[in-house]
Amino acid sequence: MFARIGEFIPKLEQKDEFVKVLRNQVLPILKKQTGFLEILPLFPETKIEKMITITLWAEKRDVERYERETYSKVEGILQPYLTTPVTFKHYNLETSVCQHFVGALTA
């Protein structure tokens, strides 16, 4: 399993609208992507902290395909709700440690 972690500072005064857009526009796009498993949006408690989004993917090649073919569309949808550009990091998820979580995702 593979994780893509995005960091940015959102416009917190638009949090409710951001969540609607994420749920109604971005999530349907993600669900159509091969290998997409889940998105975890983590909101900061203060305006100066970064928001973190974690998307989980079956394999690294799935997220690479998404970045090449689809992410620019998602970026355009989210742009009005961001005060900083999104930066990304990629991680391998050690699934042997979190078997309950992995089981819930793949059920």
Side-chain angles (χ1 to χ4, degrees):
M1 191 175 300
F2 200 77
R4 180 178 188 247
I5 299 177
E7 296 180 332
F8 56 92
I9 298 177
K11 296 178 182 175
L12 288 180
E13 64 276 5
Q14 293 182 312
K15 179 185 174 189
D16 292 340
E17 184 64 27
F18 179 87
V19 170
K20 272 188 191 174
V21 167
L22 195 59
R23 184 183 321 108
N24 298 329
Q25 294 182 43
V26 174
L27 190 54
I29 293 169
L30 288 171
K31 285 181 174 182
K32 292 179 183 176
Q33 304 308 303
T34 301
F36 172 75
L37 299 172
E38 188 61 81
I39 183 170
L40 305 169
L42 308 171
F43 284 91
E45 292 185 354
T46 67
K47 287 187 177 189
I48 60 170
E49 293 181 46
K50 291 182 179 180
M51 179 179 173
I52 298 171
T53 59
I54 302 170
T55 53
L56 300 176
W57 301 82
E59 296 185 30
K60 182 178 180 178
R61 68 176 177 226
D62 298 326
V63 74
E64 289 173 293
R65 183 182 319 104
Y66 165 73
E67 288 175 338
R68 274 192 321 272
E69 299 174 5
T70 309
Y71 175 68
S72 62
K73 180 178 179 179
V74 170
E75 183 179 39
I77 292 168
L78 297 178
Q79 188 61 42
Y81 306 96
L82 311 180
T83 62
T84 62
V86 182
T87 59
F88 292 101
K89 297 176 185 172
H90 296 122
Y91 295 89
N92 288 306
L93 180 60
E94 182 50 58
T95 56
S96 66
V97 178
C98 51
Q99 293 173 351
H100 182 273
F101 180 69
V102 172
L105 285 176
T106 57

